[in-house]
Amino acid sequence: PILGEKRAGKTIIAFEDLACERCREQMNIFHELIKTYPGRVKIIIKALPVTRFPFSSTNAHAYAYCAQEQGAWSAFSEKVITHEGALDPATLKSLAQAVDLDETRLLTCLQSGQPEAYKKKIEDLAAALNLTALPAVFVEQTLIQEPTTVEGWKELLEL
């Protein structure tokens, strides 16, 4: 998934987990950054479920992958990151309905094996990059300590 304009001049690549608290904070900042600087920044998300406690994020990522197939990754992920509590199947189904995902297409995607294949691909990439914690953010192919404010991103990206 890509947040922002695909042709934007500044690119951020972010490995994120939808249930990780620091990742949630960073995703909120990314959404604000895109709104503040429309057309100037794109954020390529590499979704990686690593949270196991207090609940696993694996199913949330599978749903998000399938939401992407319907062009709704951003809307669905915003619902997930603002949700408090467990991301159990009933909750994920409710969040999917809230963003008007086609239920038949969603179920077909979830059962296809594609979300698991994507997860494996991102896990392999993260391992190749020796990532040990999330969020992991790259700017100009360099792993950085991500700013914690939109102003910090403005300075870093020279917007």
Side-chain angles (χ1 to χ4, degrees):
I2 297 175
L3 301 176
E5 297 294 324
K6 292 180 182 179
R7 295 188 176 143
K10 305 290 182 171
T11 301
I12 299 167
I13 299 173
F15 288 78
E16 303 280 349
D17 181 355
L18 296 173
C20 148
E21 188 57 38
R22 280 194 54 231
C23 296
R24 286 177 176 204
E25 292 167 4
Q26 190 61 56
M27 288 293 291
N28 284 330
I29 292 168
F30 284 158
H31 285 290
E32 188 177 335
L33 182 67
I34 295 300
K35 289 175 188 166
T36 305
Y37 299 99
R40 299 189 60 196
V41 178
K42 71 179 167 205
I43 303 156
I44 301 170
I45 303 295
K46 301 295 184 185
L48 186 61
V50 296
T51 302
R52 303 282 179 252
F53 181 82
F55 49 86
S56 173
S57 62
T58 299
N59 286 340
H61 282 271
Y63 271 73
Y65 175 89
C66 294
Q68 171 69 13
E69 295 292 306
Q70 294 186 40
W73 189 90
S74 184
F76 182 78
S77 69
E78 281 190 69
K79 292 285 186 191
V80 171
I81 64 175
T82 58
H83 175 74
E84 297 293 330
L87 294 168
D88 56 52
T91 299
L92 293 169
K93 184 177 179 179
S94 175
L95 296 175
Q97 290 170 340
V99 297
D100 295 323
L101 293 184
D102 179 286
E103 189 171 349
T104 301
R105 287 178 62 195
L106 175 64
L107 292 175
T108 299
C109 177
L110 289 170
Q111 295 168 354
S112 71
Q114 291 175 324
E116 292 82 7
Y118 174 79
K119 176 184 167 229
K120 174 74 170 119
K121 183 178 171 181
I122 299 304
E123 285 173 343
D124 291 347
L125 179 58
L129 293 169
N130 295 315
L131 299 182
T132 58
L134 296 184
V137 180
F138 291 80
V139 174
E140 296 181 8
Q141 301 177 353
T142 302
L143 180 63
I144 65 162
Q145 178 62 45
E146 68 279 357
T148 58
T149 64
V150 170
E151 185 62 33
W153 278 105
K154 176 186 174 188
E155 290 176 24
L156 176 77
L157 298 173
E158 300 175 350
L159 297 172

